[in-house]
Amino acid sequence: MKITAVVGSPRGMRSRTRRVVNFVLAGAKDAGAEVDLIDLADLQVTPCTACESCSLDGTCVFADDLPAAYDRMRDADGLVLASPVYVDNVSGQMKVFIDRLADAMRYQNFAGKYGCSVATTEVSGGDAVVGYLNHVLNYLGVTTVRGMSVTPGNDPEALDRAEPAARELGRRLVLAVRDRPRYPDQEAGMAENRQYFAGIVRANRDWRTDEYERWVREGWIGEE
Ligand SMILES: Cc1cc2nc3c(=O)[nH]c(=O)nc-3n(C[C@H](O)[C@H](O)[C@H](O)COP(=O)(O)O)c2cc1C
């Protein structure tokens, strides 16, 4: 079992978000998972230009670091999305990354995985960012085991204090991948999303036949 985290801070090794995520991954590792960390500070990811090329065959016109990160996420059983709070939202780096996953969302390429989210903030906005990242995971077809936000402010020990809860989150994610608990509140929203995306999959079936057939096999679309 593999858990892959994506950290959206530009601060690399100095990132507080990365530190909390490392605790989450340590908890996942202790629970038996192999772990992987994708740090957006190390990657070049070009913003989506809405050229719609990906709607033809799923590939992007930009040959940057996104496809390799995408493959690592696709290979995982559990996903962690993490971002610092920037003006009450995710960082620009994280938002650019999320936008580039639009085709994976439409085709529900991550469906069946479990996930959770992490945010750190100076004063406020952490819970809203965790909520947003979990919403993105649901869009991707990923069921979440919730998440956590940490507000270290000027307290240098706040991150250390967050370690037990972060490790527990990692453990909870591993157990969810193993036991596949159901979350009816999320299932309803995700079914609604799939109904919307089904219209796109159906409309594109002549040139995205493999994906269309996968959707039919999954029972997400009625065979016509
Ligand atoms: C551009 C920018 C915007 C920020 N906006 C907020 C904010 O709206 N609310 C807040 O409480 N902290 C804000 N912060 C502080 C960061 O969220 C906080 O320091 C976070 O822990 C940094 O995480 P990192 O070390 O992983 O990059 C902002 C920081 C930056 C650089």
Side-chain angles (χ1 to χ4, degrees), residues 97-140:
F97 184 80
I98 289 168
D99 290 349
R100 287 283 299 279
L101 297 176
D103 193 71
M105 267 173 214
R106 286 192 285 264
Y107 284 88
Q108 296 284 282
N109 294 349
F110 295 96
K113 298 185 195 300
Y114 280 83
C116 67
S117 300
V118 170
T120 72
T121 176
E122 200 71 36
V123 181
S124 61
D127 289 342
V129 162
V130 167
Y132 173 70
L133 290 171
N134 278 338
H135 178 70
V136 168
L137 285 166
N138 280 175
Y139 259 149
L140 286 163

mmCIF file of all heavy atoms in Angstrom, residues 97-140:
data_model
loop_
_atom_site.group_PDB
_atom_site.id
_atom_site.type_symbol
_atom_site.label_atom_id
_atom_site.label_comp_id
_atom_site.label_asym_id
_atom_site.label_seq_id
_atom_site.Cartn_x
_atom_site.Cartn_y
_atom_site.Cartn_z
ATOM 1 N N PHE A 97 -1.523 23.512 -9.572
ATOM 2 C CA PHE A 97 -1.436 22.044 -9.630
ATOM 3 C C PHE A 97 -2.842 21.430 -9.767
ATOM 4 O O PHE A 97 -3.088 20.576 -10.619
ATOM 5 C CB PHE A 97 -0.725 21.539 -8.367
ATOM 6 C CG PHE A 97 -0.487 20.066 -8.341
ATOM 7 C CD1 PHE A 97 0.579 19.501 -9.026
ATOM 8 C CD2 PHE A 97 -1.331 19.227 -7.624
ATOM 9 C CE1 PHE A 97 0.803 18.133 -9.006
ATOM 10 C CE2 PHE A 97 -1.111 17.858 -7.598
ATOM 11 C CZ PHE A 97 -0.042 17.310 -8.290
ATOM 12 N N ILE A 98 -3.768 21.899 -8.919
ATOM 13 C CA ILE A 98 -5.138 21.361 -8.940
ATOM 14 C C ILE A 98 -5.790 21.591 -10.307
ATOM 15 O O ILE A 98 -6.423 20.697 -10.877
ATOM 16 C CB ILE A 98 -5.979 22.002 -7.809
ATOM 17 C CG1 ILE A 98 -5.515 21.485 -6.445
ATOM 18 C CG2 ILE A 98 -7.467 21.732 -8.012
ATOM 19 C CD1 ILE A 98 -6.075 22.276 -5.260
ATOM 20 N N ASP A 99 -5.612 22.792 -10.854
ATOM 21 C CA ASP A 99 -6.243 23.086 -12.152
ATOM 22 C C ASP A 99 -5.754 22.125 -13.234
ATOM 23 O O ASP A 99 -6.517 21.734 -14.121
ATOM 24 C CB ASP A 99 -5.946 24.526 -12.583
ATOM 25 C CG ASP A 99 -6.664 25.553 -11.717
ATOM 26 O OD1 ASP A 99 -7.546 25.161 -10.929
ATOM 27 O OD2 ASP A 99 -6.325 26.751 -11.827
ATOM 28 N N ARG A 100 -4.496 21.740 -13.122
ATOM 29 C CA ARG A 100 -3.937 20.826 -14.141
ATOM 30 C C ARG A 100 -4.489 19.397 -13.994
ATOM 31 O O ARG A 100 -4.219 18.548 -14.831
ATOM 32 C CB ARG A 100 -2.410 20.849 -14.070
ATOM 33 C CG ARG A 100 -1.779 22.144 -14.615
ATOM 34 C CD ARG A 100 -1.760 22.195 -16.144
ATOM 35 N NE ARG A 100 -0.996 21.110 -16.693
ATOM 36 C CZ ARG A 100 0.336 21.080 -16.801
ATOM 37 N NH1 ARG A 100 1.037 22.131 -16.420
ATOM 38 N NH2 ARG A 100 0.945 20.042 -17.321
ATOM 39 N N LEU A 101 -5.240 19.147 -12.922
ATOM 40 C CA LEU A 101 -5.843 17.821 -12.740
ATOM 41 C C LEU A 101 -7.283 17.773 -13.275
ATOM 42 O O LEU A 101 -8.007 16.803 -13.034
ATOM 43 C CB LEU A 101 -5.836 17.429 -11.254
ATOM 44 C CG LEU A 101 -4.455 17.283 -10.600
ATOM 45 C CD1 LEU A 101 -4.614 16.980 -9.106
ATOM 46 C CD2 LEU A 101 -3.630 16.181 -11.262
ATOM 47 N N ALA A 102 -7.681 18.823 -14.002
ATOM 48 C CA ALA A 102 -9.089 18.913 -14.418
ATOM 49 C C ALA A 102 -9.529 17.698 -15.237
ATOM 50 O O ALA A 102 -10.630 17.179 -15.054
ATOM 51 C CB ALA A 102 -9.315 20.202 -15.206
ATOM 52 N N ASP A 103 -8.656 17.220 -16.147
ATOM 53 C CA ASP A 103 -9.069 16.069 -16.963
ATOM 54 C C ASP A 103 -9.187 14.802 -16.115
ATOM 55 O O ASP A 103 -10.089 13.992 -16.327
ATOM 56 C CB ASP A 103 -8.085 15.848 -18.121
ATOM 57 C CG ASP A 103 -8.655 14.888 -19.148
ATOM 58 O OD1 ASP A 103 -9.601 15.282 -19.871
ATOM 59 O OD2 ASP A 103 -8.212 13.729 -19.197
ATOM 60 N N ALA A 104 -8.269 14.677 -15.131
ATOM 61 C CA ALA A 104 -8.340 13.518 -14.219
ATOM 62 C C ALA A 104 -9.629 13.565 -13.413
ATOM 63 O O ALA A 104 -10.199 12.530 -13.053
ATOM 64 C CB ALA A 104 -7.125 13.505 -13.295
ATOM 65 N N MET A 105 -10.094 14.782 -13.108
ATOM 66 C CA MET A 105 -11.371 14.931 -12.403
ATOM 67 C C MET A 105 -12.516 14.481 -13.282
ATOM 68 O O MET A 105 -13.350 13.670 -12.877
ATOM 69 C CB MET A 105 -11.601 16.413 -12.062
ATOM 70 C CG MET A 105 -11.112 16.806 -10.710
ATOM 71 S SD MET A 105 -11.253 18.598 -10.521
ATOM 72 C CE MET A 105 -9.809 18.848 -9.501
ATOM 73 N N ARG A 106 -12.539 15.028 -14.525
ATOM 74 C CA ARG A 106 -13.658 14.710 -15.433
ATOM 75 C C ARG A 106 -13.780 13.206 -15.634
ATOM 76 O O ARG A 106 -14.869 12.669 -15.689
ATOM 77 C CB ARG A 106 -13.447 15.381 -16.794
ATOM 78 C CG ARG A 106 -13.697 16.868 -16.787
ATOM 79 C CD ARG A 106 -13.766 17.418 -18.198
ATOM 80 N NE ARG A 106 -12.455 17.503 -18.808
ATOM 81 C CZ ARG A 106 -11.705 18.605 -18.826
ATOM 82 N NH1 ARG A 106 -12.164 19.707 -18.271
ATOM 83 N NH2 ARG A 106 -10.520 18.609 -19.395
ATOM 84 N N TYR A 107 -12.639 12.517 -15.738
ATOM 85 C CA TYR A 107 -12.677 11.079 -16.020
ATOM 86 C C TYR A 107 -12.559 10.233 -14.760
ATOM 87 O O TYR A 107 -12.521 9.023 -14.832
ATOM 88 C CB TYR A 107 -11.603 10.731 -17.069
ATOM 89 C CG TYR A 107 -12.073 11.178 -18.436
ATOM 90 C CD1 TYR A 107 -11.808 12.463 -18.891
ATOM 91 C CD2 TYR A 107 -12.867 10.347 -19.215
ATOM 92 C CE1 TYR A 107 -12.297 12.905 -20.104
ATOM 93 C CE2 TYR A 107 -13.369 10.776 -20.436
ATOM 94 C CZ TYR A 107 -13.084 12.054 -20.875
ATOM 95 O OH TYR A 107 -13.593 12.480 -22.069
ATOM 96 N N GLN A 108 -12.520 10.884 -13.592
ATOM 97 C CA GLN A 108 -12.512 10.193 -12.289
ATOM 98 C C GLN A 108 -11.375 9.162 -12.208
ATOM 99 O O GLN A 108 -11.574 8.019 -11.783
ATOM 100 C CB GLN A 108 -13.875 9.518 -12.048
ATOM 101 C CG GLN A 108 -15.014 10.526 -11.932
ATOM 102 C CD GLN A 108 -15.011 11.239 -10.578
ATOM 103 O OE1 GLN A 108 -15.446 10.679 -9.591
ATOM 104 N NE2 GLN A 108 -14.483 12.463 -10.554
ATOM 105 N N ASN A 109 -10.183 9.617 -12.633
ATOM 106 C CA ASN A 109 -9.041 8.694 -12.710
ATOM 107 C C ASN A 109 -8.506 8.268 -11.343
ATOM 108 O O ASN A 109 -7.704 7.350 -11.263
ATOM 109 C CB ASN A 109 -7.903 9.336 -13.516
ATOM 110 C CG ASN A 109 -8.272 9.545 -14.960
ATOM 111 O OD1 ASN A 109 -9.298 9.042 -15.417
ATOM 112 N ND2 ASN A 109 -7.468 10.290 -15.688
ATOM 113 N N PHE A 110 -8.917 8.952 -10.283
ATOM 114 C CA PHE A 110 -8.435 8.597 -8.948
ATOM 115 C C PHE A 110 -9.524 7.904 -8.123
ATOM 116 O O PHE A 110 -9.372 7.726 -6.916
ATOM 117 C CB PHE A 110 -7.933 9.841 -8.214
ATOM 118 C CG PHE A 110 -6.719 10.471 -8.845
ATOM 119 C CD1 PHE A 110 -6.836 11.527 -9.727
ATOM 120 C CD2 PHE A 110 -5.449 9.987 -8.563
ATOM 121 C CE1 PHE A 110 -5.719 12.106 -10.324
ATOM 122 C CE2 PHE A 110 -4.325 10.544 -9.147
ATOM 123 C CZ PHE A 110 -4.458 11.608 -10.029
ATOM 124 N N ALA A 111 -10.628 7.562 -8.771
ATOM 125 C CA ALA A 111 -11.772 6.991 -8.045
ATOM 126 C C ALA A 111 -11.375 5.739 -7.272
ATOM 127 O O ALA A 111 -10.599 4.920 -7.762
ATOM 128 C CB ALA A 111 -12.886 6.654 -9.030
ATOM 129 N N GLY A 112 -11.903 5.617 -6.076
ATOM 130 C CA GLY A 112 -11.640 4.442 -5.245
ATOM 131 C C GLY A 112 -10.525 4.656 -4.235
ATOM 132 O O GLY A 112 -10.354 3.863 -3.322
ATOM 133 N N LYS A 113 -9.760 5.738 -4.395
ATOM 134 C CA LYS A 113 -8.701 6.004 -3.427
ATOM 135 C C LYS A 113 -9.304 6.717 -2.209
ATOM 136 O O LYS A 113 -10.403 7.276 -2.283
ATOM 137 C CB LYS A 113 -7.617 6.902 -4.049
ATOM 138 C CG LYS A 113 -6.906 6.287 -5.259
ATOM 139 C CD LYS A 113 -5.783 7.187 -5.733
ATOM 140 C CE LYS A 113 -5.274 6.825 -7.118
ATOM 141 N NZ LYS A 113 -4.736 5.481 -7.275
ATOM 142 N N TYR A 114 -8.532 6.706 -1.121
ATOM 143 C CA TYR A 114 -8.882 7.484 0.075
ATOM 144 C C TYR A 114 -7.873 8.615 0.212
ATOM 145 O O TYR A 114 -6.767 8.546 -0.356
ATOM 146 C CB TYR A 114 -8.875 6.596 1.322
ATOM 147 C CG TYR A 114 -10.145 5.782 1.446
ATOM 148 C CD1 TYR A 114 -10.287 4.589 0.748
ATOM 149 C CD2 TYR A 114 -11.198 6.233 2.229
ATOM 150 C CE1 TYR A 114 -11.458 3.852 0.831
ATOM 151 C CE2 TYR A 114 -12.366 5.505 2.318
ATOM 152 C CZ TYR A 114 -12.493 4.307 1.615
ATOM 153 O OH TYR A 114 -13.671 3.592 1.705
ATOM 154 N N GLY A 115 -8.232 9.654 0.946
ATOM 155 C CA GLY A 115 -7.324 10.783 1.086
ATOM 156 C C GLY A 115 -7.619 11.605 2.320
ATOM 157 O O GLY A 115 -8.573 11.345 3.062
ATOM 158 N N CYS A 116 -6.773 12.598 2.550
ATOM 159 C CA CYS A 116 -6.991 13.564 3.629
ATOM 160 C C CYS A 116 -6.214 14.836 3.281
ATOM 161 O O CYS A 116 -5.427 14.838 2.338
ATOM 162 C CB CYS A 116 -6.536 13.017 4.982
ATOM 163 S SG CYS A 116 -4.766 12.780 5.129
ATOM 164 N N SER A 117 -6.473 15.900 4.042
ATOM 165 C CA SER A 117 -5.856 17.186 3.732
ATOM 166 C C SER A 117 -5.245 17.819 4.967
ATOM 167 O O SER A 117 -5.666 17.562 6.095
ATOM 168 C CB SER A 117 -6.900 18.139 3.141
ATOM 169 O OG SER A 117 -7.427 17.586 1.964
ATOM 170 N N VAL A 118 -4.252 18.676 4.706
ATOM 171 C CA VAL A 118 -3.520 19.357 5.774
ATOM 172 C C VAL A 118 -3.334 20.820 5.368
ATOM 173 O O VAL A 118 -3.068 21.123 4.208
ATOM 174 C CB VAL A 118 -2.125 18.708 5.966
ATOM 175 C CG1 VAL A 118 -1.249 19.533 6.900
ATOM 176 C CG2 VAL A 118 -2.259 17.275 6.476
ATOM 177 N N ALA A 119 -3.470 21.735 6.361
ATOM 178 C CA ALA A 119 -3.149 23.145 6.112
ATOM 179 C C ALA A 119 -2.389 23.688 7.311
ATOM 180 O O ALA A 119 -2.590 23.234 8.440
ATOM 181 C CB ALA A 119 -4.426 23.955 5.898
ATOM 182 N N THR A 120 -1.498 24.645 7.062
ATOM 183 C CA THR A 120 -0.947 25.432 8.172
ATOM 184 C C THR A 120 -1.186 26.896 7.864
ATOM 185 O O THR A 120 -1.307 27.296 6.706
ATOM 186 C CB THR A 120 0.568 25.195 8.419
ATOM 187 O OG1 THR A 120 1.310 25.802 7.365
ATOM 188 C CG2 THR A 120 0.900 23.732 8.553
ATOM 189 N N THR A 121 -1.291 27.683 8.928
ATOM 190 C CA THR A 121 -1.651 29.087 8.775
ATOM 191 C C THR A 121 -1.078 29.896 9.934
ATOM 192 O O THR A 121 -0.750 29.334 10.988
ATOM 193 C CB THR A 121 -3.190 29.216 8.725
ATOM 194 O OG1 THR A 121 -3.540 30.585 8.660
ATOM 195 C CG2 THR A 121 -3.863 28.588 9.935
ATOM 196 N N GLU A 122 -0.962 31.208 9.717
ATOM 197 C CA GLU A 122 -0.449 32.066 10.789
ATOM 198 C C GLU A 122 -1.540 32.343 11.823
ATOM 199 O O GLU A 122 -1.307 32.239 13.022
ATOM 200 C CB GLU A 122 0.035 33.391 10.171
ATOM 201 C CG GLU A 122 0.998 34.177 11.016
ATOM 202 C CD GLU A 122 2.376 33.512 11.092
ATOM 203 O OE1 GLU A 122 2.798 32.929 10.081
ATOM 204 O OE2 GLU A 122 2.987 33.566 12.159
ATOM 205 N N VAL A 123 -2.721 32.697 11.326
ATOM 206 C CA VAL A 123 -3.802 33.138 12.223
ATOM 207 C C VAL A 123 -5.105 32.373 11.974
ATOM 208 O O VAL A 123 -5.718 31.857 12.909
ATOM 209 C CB VAL A 123 -4.090 34.658 12.041
ATOM 210 C CG1 VAL A 123 -5.193 35.117 12.993
ATOM 211 C CG2 VAL A 123 -2.834 35.490 12.223
ATOM 212 N N SER A 124 -5.534 32.323 10.715
ATOM 213 C CA SER A 124 -6.869 31.780 10.434
ATOM 214 C C SER A 124 -6.912 31.182 9.024
ATOM 215 O O SER A 124 -5.952 31.294 8.269
ATOM 216 C CB SER A 124 -7.915 32.895 10.551
ATOM 217 O OG SER A 124 -7.620 33.901 9.597
ATOM 218 N N GLY A 125 -8.048 30.589 8.712
ATOM 219 C CA GLY A 125 -8.282 30.082 7.352
ATOM 220 C C GLY A 125 -7.910 28.621 7.158
ATOM 221 O O GLY A 125 -8.177 28.052 6.096
ATOM 222 N N GLY A 126 -7.306 28.000 8.177
ATOM 223 C CA GLY A 126 -6.840 26.613 8.014
ATOM 224 C C GLY A 126 -7.968 25.624 7.774
ATOM 225 O O GLY A 126 -7.875 24.776 6.877
ATOM 226 N N ASP A 127 -9.037 25.759 8.551
ATOM 227 C CA ASP A 127 -10.126 24.779 8.397
ATOM 228 C C ASP A 127 -10.793 24.917 7.023
ATOM 229 O O ASP A 127 -11.180 23.932 6.404
ATOM 230 C CB ASP A 127 -11.167 24.955 9.507
ATOM 231 C CG ASP A 127 -10.609 24.489 10.864
ATOM 232 O OD1 ASP A 127 -9.600 23.754 10.865
ATOM 233 O OD2 ASP A 127 -11.167 24.885 11.895
ATOM 234 N N ALA A 128 -10.896 26.176 6.558
ATOM 235 C CA ALA A 128 -11.514 26.394 5.241
ATOM 236 C C ALA A 128 -10.650 25.771 4.146
ATOM 237 O O ALA A 128 -11.166 25.172 3.191
ATOM 238 C CB ALA A 128 -11.702 27.889 4.987
ATOM 239 N N VAL A 129 -9.328 25.885 4.273
ATOM 240 C CA VAL A 129 -8.440 25.307 3.255
ATOM 241 C C VAL A 129 -8.485 23.777 3.304
ATOM 242 O O VAL A 129 -8.522 23.120 2.260
ATOM 243 C CB VAL A 129 -7.003 25.875 3.390
ATOM 244 C CG1 VAL A 129 -5.989 25.006 2.660
ATOM 245 C CG2 VAL A 129 -6.976 27.296 2.845
ATOM 246 N N VAL A 130 -8.531 23.215 4.508
ATOM 247 C CA VAL A 130 -8.689 21.753 4.615
ATOM 248 C C VAL A 130 -10.011 21.339 3.953
ATOM 249 O O VAL A 130 -10.060 20.370 3.191
ATOM 250 C CB VAL A 130 -8.645 21.295 6.095
ATOM 251 C CG1 VAL A 130 -9.130 19.855 6.251
ATOM 252 C CG2 VAL A 130 -7.226 21.425 6.644
ATOM 253 N N GLY A 131 -11.064 22.116 4.215
ATOM 254 C CA GLY A 131 -12.368 21.817 3.609
ATOM 255 C C GLY A 131 -12.290 21.879 2.094
ATOM 256 O O GLY A 131 -12.828 21.015 1.390
ATOM 257 N N TYR A 132 -11.599 22.903 1.581
ATOM 258 C CA TYR A 132 -11.477 23.045 0.126
ATOM 259 C C TYR A 132 -10.688 21.874 -0.474
ATOM 260 O O TYR A 132 -11.091 21.287 -1.479
ATOM 261 C CB TYR A 132 -10.810 24.379 -0.234
ATOM 262 C CG TYR A 132 -10.505 24.484 -1.708
ATOM 263 C CD1 TYR A 132 -11.536 24.626 -2.640
ATOM 264 C CD2 TYR A 132 -9.194 24.381 -2.181
ATOM 265 C CE1 TYR A 132 -11.261 24.675 -4.002
ATOM 266 C CE2 TYR A 132 -8.921 24.429 -3.535
ATOM 267 C CZ TYR A 132 -9.952 24.578 -4.442
ATOM 268 O OH TYR A 132 -9.680 24.616 -5.788
ATOM 269 N N LEU A 133 -9.562 21.528 0.153
ATOM 270 C CA LEU A 133 -8.731 20.437 -0.388
ATOM 271 C C LEU A 133 -9.479 19.105 -0.338
ATOM 272 O O LEU A 133 -9.383 18.284 -1.262
ATOM 273 C CB LEU A 133 -7.397 20.351 0.375
ATOM 274 C CG LEU A 133 -6.425 21.516 0.117
ATOM 275 C CD1 LEU A 133 -5.240 21.442 1.081
ATOM 276 C CD2 LEU A 133 -5.926 21.525 -1.335
ATOM 277 N N ASN A 134 -10.268 18.908 0.717
ATOM 278 C CA ASN A 134 -11.069 17.674 0.768
ATOM 279 C C ASN A 134 -12.155 17.682 -0.308
ATOM 280 O O ASN A 134 -12.482 16.641 -0.893
ATOM 281 C CB ASN A 134 -11.690 17.489 2.157
ATOM 282 C CG ASN A 134 -10.694 16.874 3.138
ATOM 283 O OD1 ASN A 134 -9.731 16.239 2.721
ATOM 284 N ND2 ASN A 134 -10.922 17.068 4.420
ATOM 285 N N HIS A 135 -12.687 18.861 -0.582
ATOM 286 C CA HIS A 135 -13.674 19.013 -1.656
ATOM 287 C C HIS A 135 -13.024 18.652 -3.006
ATOM 288 O O HIS A 135 -13.626 17.952 -3.837
ATOM 289 C CB HIS A 135 -14.136 20.476 -1.632
ATOM 290 C CG HIS A 135 -15.111 20.859 -2.684
ATOM 291 N ND1 HIS A 135 -16.413 20.411 -2.706
ATOM 292 C CD2 HIS A 135 -14.971 21.667 -3.773
ATOM 293 C CE1 HIS A 135 -17.030 20.931 -3.756
ATOM 294 N NE2 HIS A 135 -16.178 21.682 -4.426
ATOM 295 N N VAL A 136 -11.783 19.095 -3.213
ATOM 296 C CA VAL A 136 -11.046 18.761 -4.440
ATOM 297 C C VAL A 136 -10.843 17.244 -4.523
ATOM 298 O O VAL A 136 -11.034 16.636 -5.579
ATOM 299 C CB VAL A 136 -9.685 19.501 -4.481
ATOM 300 C CG1 VAL A 136 -8.788 18.950 -5.585
ATOM 301 C CG2 VAL A 136 -9.898 21.003 -4.655
ATOM 302 N N LEU A 137 -10.475 16.643 -3.404
ATOM 303 C CA LEU A 137 -10.290 15.186 -3.404
ATOM 304 C C LEU A 137 -11.592 14.490 -3.795
ATOM 305 O O LEU A 137 -11.593 13.572 -4.622
ATOM 306 C CB LEU A 137 -9.789 14.708 -2.028
ATOM 307 C CG LEU A 137 -8.313 15.012 -1.735
ATOM 308 C CD1 LEU A 137 -7.997 14.816 -0.251
ATOM 309 C CD2 LEU A 137 -7.371 14.143 -2.579
ATOM 310 N N ASN A 138 -12.709 14.945 -3.232
ATOM 311 C CA ASN A 138 -14.005 14.359 -3.617
ATOM 312 C C ASN A 138 -14.265 14.540 -5.110
ATOM 313 O O ASN A 138 -14.761 13.631 -5.780
ATOM 314 C CB ASN A 138 -15.157 14.996 -2.826
ATOM 315 C CG ASN A 138 -15.327 14.433 -1.408
ATOM 316 O OD1 ASN A 138 -16.154 14.926 -0.660
ATOM 317 N ND2 ASN A 138 -14.579 13.419 -1.050
ATOM 318 N N TYR A 139 -13.937 15.703 -5.650
ATOM 319 C CA TYR A 139 -14.075 15.946 -7.097
ATOM 320 C C TYR A 139 -13.284 14.913 -7.894
ATOM 321 O O TYR A 139 -13.684 14.478 -8.968
ATOM 322 C CB TYR A 139 -13.522 17.323 -7.465
ATOM 323 C CG TYR A 139 -14.552 18.412 -7.669
ATOM 324 C CD1 TYR A 139 -14.241 19.730 -7.374
ATOM 325 C CD2 TYR A 139 -15.816 18.140 -8.195
ATOM 326 C CE1 TYR A 139 -15.152 20.751 -7.555
ATOM 327 C CE2 TYR A 139 -16.737 19.155 -8.378
ATOM 328 C CZ TYR A 139 -16.400 20.452 -8.063
ATOM 329 O OH TYR A 139 -17.303 21.457 -8.251
ATOM 330 N N LEU A 140 -12.113 14.559 -7.357
ATOM 331 C CA LEU A 140 -11.252 13.588 -8.044
ATOM 332 C C LEU A 140 -11.760 12.154 -7.881
ATOM 333 O O LEU A 140 -11.193 11.229 -8.443
ATOM 334 C CB LEU A 140 -9.823 13.671 -7.488
ATOM 335 C CG LEU A 140 -9.007 14.895 -7.926
ATOM 336 C CD1 LEU A 140 -7.801 15.094 -7.013
ATOM 337 C CD2 LEU A 140 -8.538 14.759 -9.377
#
